[in-house]
């Protein structure tokens, strides 16, 4: 059998250890996962009620085009329904974009340390990855523009950026879009948009009015707390969305996911509470990092990348033994940093206590 040459070298995605496995292996009663930028407060109770109402319909296929949800999301974003496409997570929207646009040998520009799925899906399609260095953990759009050639098909911008948490302001993104050829698709991934409190965060919907080549990515996995249901979406020009829709599998989002997302997006109080708690968590955690003398990137999402001055894997293992799962930075391009998701107040305080012990212990051992 001959597989596609472009996939032969690709690693199989390695998920983090499930909480139950960590408990059993380490003999711990309580394990806190602050590793995948999930919502520590779960999801809206209204989303749970909507899922229960769907249970009688499980024998029926979902509405492939997610019409009710599309209409609600369109209304809330001031766009037309034909400007929206849903995916099985925004992961699948990334996959569909790659599938719809890349031919082998096309080039695609992205930052050196950004969300892994842009690279992965581009590689599957045989595209050539062109990376641009970042400045202080932030996308350098001038450097990215300098990497554009007549072979470039797609440029990926993650804002706030995963894994660094940094953000580009509106004018910087607007200037970039004014300079780049309208023939090149620009994907602006806004997975963490609902957490951002900075007033100069880009208004992607405004930019979309002037730039047909822009597509925004959003998700219900983060502030809406529905990561398990796998639902995210793209917003773009109807012509672009139609092309992406042409490669969409027929029933790619489930009934339960659609119903939960519809209820979740209407529960604005839940979202506001999570956003506020997250801002308090960022303030607390960054304050503690400053007090401990640990450098960190400015955090605009629901996670912080902090420099711990030791091999990240050692700090990861030591925190795991204390019942905290975080992301070690080595796999993300930051070998002496860790990425921690903002938890509830209690989780954040417990994490800081555990980290302080781990760092004090490793200082003694050094
Ligand atoms: C920047 C970014 N984009 C997209 C995703 C994918 O999210 P999902 O597929 O759960 O919608 C993530 C998940 O961590 C992310 O961090």
């Amino acid at each position: 059998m001959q597989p596609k040459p472009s996939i032969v070298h690709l690693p199989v995605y390695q998920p983090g250890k499930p909480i139950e496995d960590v408990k059993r292996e380490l003999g711990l009663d309580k394990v806190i996962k602050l590793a995948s930028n999930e919502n520590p407060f779960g999801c809206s109770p209204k989303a749970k009620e909507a899922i229960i109402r769907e249970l009688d319909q499980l024998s029926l296929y979902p509405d492939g085009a997610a019409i009710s949800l599309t209409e609600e999301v369109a209304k809330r974003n001031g766009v037309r329904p034909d400007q929206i496409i849903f995916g099985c997570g925004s992961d699948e929207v990334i996959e569909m974009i790659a599938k719809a646009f890349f031919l082998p040998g096309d080039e695609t520009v992205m930052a050196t340390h950004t969300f892994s799925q842009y690279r992965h899906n581009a590689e599957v399609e045989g595209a050539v990855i062109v990376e641009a260095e970042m400045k202080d953990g932030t996308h350098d759009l001038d450097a990215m523009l300098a990497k554009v050639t007549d072979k470039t098909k797609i440029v990926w911008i993650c804002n706030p950026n995963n894994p660094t948490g940094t953000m580009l302001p509106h004018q910087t993104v607007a200037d970039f879009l004014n300079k780049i050829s309208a023939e090149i698709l620009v994907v602006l991934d806004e997975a963490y948009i609902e957490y951002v409190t900075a007033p100069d965060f880009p208004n992607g919907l405004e930019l979309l009015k002037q730039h047909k080549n822009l597509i925004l990515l959003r998700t219900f996995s983060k502030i809406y707390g529905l990561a398990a249901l796998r639902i995210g979406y793209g917003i773009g020009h109807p012509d672009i969305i139609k092309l992406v829709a042409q490669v969409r599998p027929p029933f790619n989002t489930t009934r339960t996911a659609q119903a939960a997302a519809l209820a979740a997006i209407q529960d604005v109080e839940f979202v506001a509470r999570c956003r506020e708690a997250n801002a308090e968590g960022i303030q607390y955690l960054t304050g503690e990092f400053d007090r401990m003398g640990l450098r960190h990137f400015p955090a605009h999402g629901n996670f912080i990348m902090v420099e711990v001055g030791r091999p990240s894997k050692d700090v990861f293992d030591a925190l795991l033994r204390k019942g905290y799962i975080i992301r070690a930075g080595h796999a993300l391009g930051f070998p002496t940093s860790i990425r921690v998701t903002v938890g509830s107040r209690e989780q954040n305080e417990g994490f800081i206590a555990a980290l302080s012990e781990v760092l004090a212990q490793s200082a003694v051992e050094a």
Side-chain angles (χ1 to χ4, degrees):
M1 264 190 285
Q2 287 295 322
K4 251 165 114 163
S6 62
I7 67 144
V8 175
H9 70 289
L10 292 178
V12 174
Y13 183 78
Q14 296 296 330
K17 263 192 184 200
I19 290 179
E20 288 313 314
D21 288 12
V22 174
K23 276 188 187 166
R24 196 170 2 89
E25 283 172 25
L26 296 177
L28 296 164
D29 295 333
K30 199 169 120 190
V31 170
I32 309 289
K33 183 169 170 235
L34 300 174
S36 303
N37 307 340
E38 294 148 335
N39 187 339
F41 306 106
C43 68
S44 159
K46 295 186 174 126
K48 292 183 193 168
E49 288 160 18
I51 292 169
I52 291 168
R53 282 197 300 275
E54 260 334 288
L55 294 181
D56 284 340
Q57 313 279 337
L58 293 186
S59 57
L60 303 176
Y61 281 104
D63 165 13
I67 292 173
S68 307
L69 179 60
T70 302
E71 280 172 0
E72 184 65 23
V73 169
K75 191 177 81 187
R76 287 184 179 270
N77 286 289
V79 297
R80 288 168 28 184
D82 62 358
Q83 291 187 260
I84 294 179
I85 179 145
F86 279 91
C88 178
S90 47
D91 276 347
E92 194 192 33
V93 185
I94 296 169
E95 182 183 346
M96 292 189 287
I97 292 170
K99 213 173 184 179
F101 286 92
F102 286 132
L103 285 172
D106 283 344
E107 291 178 4
T108 185
V109 176
M110 62 190 71
T112 42
H113 304 302
T114 191
F115 187 52
S116 58
Q117 293 306 296
Y118 315 144
R119 167 187 274 276
H120 174 83
N121 286 290
E123 286 191 337
V124 169
E125 301 305 327
V128 177
I129 314 298
V130 179
E131 288 185 333
E133 286 298 327
M134 306 177 84
K135 263 194 195 146
D136 300 326
T138 307
H139 284 62
D140 179 347
L141 295 190
D142 288 334
M144 290 178 80
L145 198 60
K147 299 275 183 183
V148 168
T149 71
D150 55 7
K151 288 193 183 151
T152 308
K153 265 279 178 65
I154 302 181
V155 176
W156 307 86
I157 304 173
C158 188
N159 203 39
N161 184 47
N162 181 6
T164 54
T166 55
M167 176 202 109
L168 291 168
H170 183 88
Q171 202 51 51
T172 308
V173 178
D175 290 348
F176 174 81
L177 286 165
N178 287 332
K179 285 186 232 162
I180 195 166
S181 157
E183 293 301 309
I184 297 171
L185 186 64
V186 177
V187 179
L188 187 59
D189 186 343
E190 302 185 322
Y192 300 94
I193 185 171
E194 297 87 358
Y195 284 114
V196 179
T197 55
D200 56 347
F201 187 72
N203 184 337
L205 295 165
E206 222 24 65
L207 295 170
L208 209 57
K209 290 183 188 153
Q210 298 138 41
H211 301 282
K212 181 178 172 179
N213 57 327
L214 179 64
I215 183 160
L216 311 176
L217 298 184
R218 306 272 181 86
T219 181
F220 283 93
S221 300
K222 304 301 172 185
I223 210 163
Y224 296 103
L226 297 173
L229 294 183
R230 313 303 303 124
I231 185 155
Y233 57 102
I235 312 180
H237 188 280
D239 294 349
I240 304 283
I241 294 299
K242 180 166 181 283
L243 294 169
V244 182
Q246 281 168 324
V247 300
R248 181 178 66 73
F251 303 108
N252 63 329
T253 59
T254 65
R255 270 182 178 279
T256 41
Q258 290 178 24
L262 184 57
I265 203 167
Q266 295 177 72
D267 193 348
V268 288
E269 286 87 21
F270 176 83
V271 173
R273 272 201 309 280
C274 295
R275 178 183 153 98
E276 202 173 312
N278 184 70
E280 282 170 19
I282 296 256
Q283 205 176 7
Y284 167 74
L285 289 169
T286 53
E288 289 297 307
F289 294 149
D290 292 342
R291 189 181 56 73
M292 293 157 82
L294 303 177
R295 286 185 308 127
H296 54 84
F297 288 119
H300 294 278
N302 67 339
F303 56 93
I304 308 173
M305 177 74 93
V306 55
E307 161 74 49
V308 285
R310 299 147 174 77
S312 64
K313 181 76 173 68
D314 296 352
V315 177
F316 172 87
D317 288 339
L319 282 169
L320 197 63
R321 288 193 291 274
K322 292 183 180 294
Y324 288 88
I325 313 177
I326 49 88
R327 245 346 253 282
H330 64 93
L332 305 170
F334 297 90
T336 55
S337 296
I338 57 171
R339 192 195 68 190
V340 60
T341 302
V342 178
S344 64
R345 183 183 294 201
E346 189 194 349
Q347 292 173 338
N348 295 336
E349 288 172 359
F351 164 73
I352 289 294
L355 181 66
S356 304
E357 286 169 17
V358 164
L359 297 184
Q361 182 64 32
S362 71
V364 171
E365 285 163 7

